């Protein structure tokens, strides 16, 4: 257990576990859903996973919306430039981690809002609990398929960036 705890980085805590715990706390306060766990280990695993989903939602949806050509709220550097700059200044990775935490917090509040809206719609049109679970699984499949594609893109860009340096 100590080995697992030692391997948990600040990124994992602030971008996965922290938002997952906050989501469960806020969700219990503003909806009839209660995902709180009595068992601390199971709770930590569940909260981490919830935070991971919230983070992926932020990466795939919130990030895309904020960097869209129409909104032009944020703009990213070229990935090769980012890699080269990180090699020269290790603070950039820290800034990127904090940046991702802010995006994840935005995502947290958006997913809370979506959860409240879903609860109201589910009551209004009488969506069964079983149907809700099926919809959740489908949504998770979609989120992780697109996350996998995005991560594969980062790997390809990283390899290409490193091969240019040779």
């Amino acid at each position: 257990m100590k080995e697992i705890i030692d391997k948990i980085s600040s990124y994992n805590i602030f971008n996965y576990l922290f938002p997952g715990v906050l989501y469960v706390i806020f969700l219990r306060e503003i909806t009839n859903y209660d995902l709180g766990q009595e068992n601390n280990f199971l709770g930590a695993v569940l909260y981490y996973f919830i935070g991971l989903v919230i983070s992926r939602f932020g990466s795939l949806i919130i990030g895309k919306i904020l960097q869209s050509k129409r909104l032009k709220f944020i703009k990213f550097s070229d990935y090769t430039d980012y890699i080269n700059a990180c090699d020269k200044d290790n603070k950039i990775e820290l800034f990127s981690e904090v940046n991702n935490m802010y995006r994840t917090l935005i995502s947290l509040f958006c997913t809370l809002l979506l959860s409240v809206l879903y609860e109201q719609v589910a009551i209004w049109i009488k969506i069964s609990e079983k149907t809700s679970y099926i919809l959740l699984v489908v949504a998770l499949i979609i989120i992780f398929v697109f996350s996998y594609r995005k991560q594969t893109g980062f790997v390809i860009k990283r390899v290409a960036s490193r091969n240019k340096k040779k």
Side-chain angles (χ1 to χ4, degrees):
M1 182 66 147
K2 184 181 180 326
E3 293 171 4
I4 294 172
I5 292 171
D6 290 342
K7 290 183 181 185
I8 296 175
S9 67
S10 63
Y11 186 89
N12 289 324
I13 292 170
F14 290 112
N15 284 290
Y16 301 147
L17 189 59
F18 177 63
V21 170
L22 286 179
Y23 178 83
V24 170
I25 291 169
F26 290 143
L27 189 72
R28 180 178 43 218
E29 296 300 317
I30 62 176
T31 70
N32 291 318
Y33 302 129
D34 186 0
L35 301 176
Q37 300 293 308
E38 294 293 322
N39 181 303
N40 290 336
F41 179 76
L42 292 179
V45 171
L46 178 64
Y47 308 148
Y48 183 91
F49 180 74
I50 290 169
L52 174 66
V53 172
I54 290 168
S55 176
R56 296 303 80 218
F57 181 83
S59 175
L60 295 171
I61 308 297
I62 304 301
K64 289 290 184 204
I65 290 170
L66 294 177
Q67 70 181 13
S68 68
K69 290 179 182 175
R70 177 178 256 181
L71 196 56
K72 295 180 186 174
F73 192 76
I74 59 170
K75 183 181 179 196
F76 287 115
S77 298
D78 175 71
Y79 192 70
T80 301
D81 292 343
Y82 171 77
I83 296 298
N84 292 334
C86 285
D87 288 343
K88 296 173 186 165
D89 182 353
N90 60 1
K91 291 249 186 216
I92 293 172
E93 288 185 37
L94 174 65
F95 293 147
S96 181
E97 183 177 318
V98 171
N99 193 46
N100 288 340
M101 182 185 68
Y102 292 148
R103 184 192 62 211
T104 299
L105 290 173
I106 295 166
S107 179
L108 163 69
F109 298 120
C110 289
T111 54
L112 279 169
L113 179 61
L114 289 172
S115 298
V116 170
L117 293 173
Y118 179 80
E119 180 184 43
Q120 296 305 309
V121 168
I123 291 168
W124 181 51
I125 62 174
K126 297 178 176 62
I127 298 174
S128 72
E129 190 173 325
K130 184 175 183 178
T131 301
S132 290
Y133 282 126
I134 291 169
L135 292 172
L136 176 62
V137 169
V138 169
L140 290 172
I141 290 169
I142 292 168
I143 285 173
F144 285 106
V145 164
F146 281 95
S147 292
Y148 178 64
R149 182 176 79 170
K150 184 175 182 179
Q151 192 65 30
T152 301
F154 280 130
V155 171
I156 291 167
K157 287 179 185 177
R158 183 86 178 209
V159 168
S161 173
R162 291 299 177 191
N163 285 337
K164 284 182 184 177
K165 288 182 109 176
K166 291 182 177 182

